[in-house]
Amino acid sequence: MQHTHDTTPVQPSESDDQITVATRDAGAGRVVLEIGGEVDMLTSPQLRTAALAALADDPRVVVLALDSVSFLGTSGLAVLIEVREAAQQAGVDLRLACTGRRVLRPLSIAGLIPMFDVRDTVEDALA
């Protein structure tokens, strides 16, 4: 009898790299974007779209929660700068909530930490 069922494990490919972005209303004109996964050339457009959409709703504060980000590449840094500029133009207070080295190190190496209001927790960023 011929076995027609292939049980070879499927290996993840580079195209399986994903980003997750969950937006939640924190009340009083505050919005939190929980970002996870790898923010690189392939996924940074998703971050840009979600963040700019959040700004379009005319909030007072937007918090990017970045502790679930496993990689932040240069294209991700570029999106953060773009979102910061859009927030400034819209009069929105943009805050980053992050303690993870995977995010803080690239920001630090690029000299970008002073450009952002970085808080340890989402709760701190919402205060």
Side-chain angles (χ1 to χ4, degrees), residues 31-55:
V31 176
V32 177
L33 275 75
E34 296 275 351
I35 299 133
E38 296 186 5
V39 184
D40 58 21
M41 246 172 62
L42 297 174
T43 61
S44 59
Q46 292 170 261
L47 173 57
R48 175 186 295 110
T49 299
L52 294 179
L55 290 174

Side-chain angles (χ1 to χ4, degrees), residues 60-81:
R60 232 178 13 92
V61 175
V62 171
V63 176
L64 302 182
L66 302 171
D67 270 337
S68 295
V69 170
S70 57
F71 174 80
L72 180 62
T74 54
S75 57
L77 293 173
V79 167
L80 291 178
I81 293 168

Side-chain angles (χ1 to χ4, degrees), residues 73-92:
T74 54
S75 57
L77 293 173
V79 167
L80 291 178
I81 293 168
E82 180 182 343
V83 170
R84 176 187 169 270
E85 290 172 0
Q88 282 183 327
Q89 289 177 354
V92 175

